[in-house]
Amino acid sequence: MLHWMRYGARARRGHHQPEKKVGPVSTSTSSSGSKQRATLRYTAMRLGVFAGCFLAVWALTYLRVLPSGLGESNFAWVVLLALILSAPLSWVLLRKQRDAMSEQIVEKVDRAKTRLATNQAQEDA
């Protein structure tokens, strides 16, 4: 799956955005700093989307626009509806963050593979 994410992100970036020119990097806003926190940012945004859906579903069940659960299952019903609503919303709304996170993961996996290959070459020599 990482293979698909790596080449899928590159293909989308290559077709829609021109190549970035390498220039001086300022110390205050570095692109590597944002890539390093891509997983944390995506996770926080995903939780935010879920929280927003949870509040919206809770308000709609409180106002009786949506049916409440049976007996004491109202909380479980609200959580389930919020999960069902937040999944496709996150898929659409957080595409850029998901691509940045997948690039970060691919870079880490590639570095680990390189280290492993280097270690194996040293053992063979």
Side-chain angles (χ1 to χ4, degrees), residues 11-77:
R12 280 193 299 275
R13 186 176 61 239
H15 290 300
H16 298 293
Q17 296 177 356
E19 288 187 26
K20 295 181 180 177
K21 295 181 180 179
V22 178
V25 177
S26 67
T27 56
S28 61
T29 57
S30 160
S31 65
S32 64
S34 65
K35 280 189 179 180
Q36 290 177 350
R37 295 185 210 104
T39 304
L40 182 61
R41 184 177 43 194
Y42 174 76
T43 303
M45 292 177 85
R46 180 86 161 90
L47 287 172
V49 169
F50 171 74
C53 289
F54 179 81
L55 290 175
V57 170
W58 178 79
L60 290 173
T61 55
Y62 182 77
L63 296 173
R64 303 208 186 270
V65 174
L66 292 175
S68 61
L70 299 173
E72 298 296 320
S73 67
N74 192 34
F75 181 74
W77 171 252

Side-chain angles (χ1 to χ4, degrees), residues 86-107:
S86 69
L89 285 174
S90 295
W91 181 257
V92 173
L93 297 175
L94 303 179
R95 176 169 291 189
K96 287 181 183 180
Q97 289 77 17
R98 191 174 51 253
D99 286 344
M101 181 181 69
S102 68
E103 286 178 10
Q104 175 188 1
I105 292 170
V106 167
E107 288 172 4

